[in-house]
Amino acid sequence: VQLQASGGGPVQAGGSLRLSCKASGRADGRGALGWFRQAPGKEREFVAAKSWSGTTLYADSVKGRFTIARDSDKNMVNLTMNNLKPEDTAVYYCAGRTTIRASQYQAHYQFWGQGTQVTVSS
């Protein structure tokens, strides 16, 4: 399974960005997909995840600002980020797992994309 993330870039605080992740090579396309991020000097952390059936999980820090959406036909997951803050600056990674249920734990994901940089300036 290969995951290709795109859509990062620079943005001013209060602005919006939309990240996309395309999964290819999946046997059945029903595994959960999620997003994690890693800021400079910090450990990678959970952002959002969505199961094939529609269950959604969000980190408290992004609730109400970020929305994860899944296009099962295209085997893609998008992350719409609104009202961005400087503390959202990080490399964002999409991740996939073989099981249907969404998870906030990195160890539950078997497949990882290459990461896309998001830089929010104040």
Side-chain angles (χ1 to χ4, degrees), residues 26 29-34 49-52 55 70 95-103 109-111:
R26 299 179 71 88
R30 295 190 177 191
L33 294 171
K50 197 170 185 72
S51 71
W52 184 82
T55 301
R70 185 163 182 164
R97 60 186 309 211
T98 55
T99 54
I100 295 175
R101 183 174 295 181
S103 172
Y109 291 83
Q110 294 80 32
F111 313 109

Side-chain angles (χ1 to χ4, degrees), residues 79-116:
L79 185 69
T80 301
M81 306 183 292
N82 297 319
N83 191 22
L84 282 161
K85 304 176 181 180
E87 51 263 43
D88 294 317
T89 295
V91 177
Y92 284 70
Y93 298 89
C94 64
R97 60 186 309 211
T98 55
T99 54
I100 295 175
R101 183 174 295 181
S103 172
Q104 63 182 330
Y105 301 106
Q106 297 183 55
H108 289 177
Y109 291 83
Q110 294 80 32
F111 313 109
W112 292 85
Q114 83 285 7
T116 183

Side-chain angles (χ1 to χ4, degrees), residues 12-69:
Q12 290 191 331
S16 299
L17 278 177
R18 184 171 179 259
L19 306 182
S20 295
C21 178
K22 168 71 174 176
S24 59
R26 299 179 71 88
D28 60 10
R30 295 190 177 191
L33 294 171
W35 289 94
F36 292 77
R37 67 186 181 185
Q38 187 168 20
K42 295 186 177 181
E43 295 188 354
R44 190 160 57 186
E45 64 177 7
F46 170 73
V47 176
K50 197 170 185 72
S51 71
W52 184 82
S53 61
T55 301
T56 303
L57 300 175
Y58 291 102
D60 289 342
S61 59
V62 306
K63 282 182 181 178
R65 299 188 299 122
F66 291 12
T67 301
I68 187 169

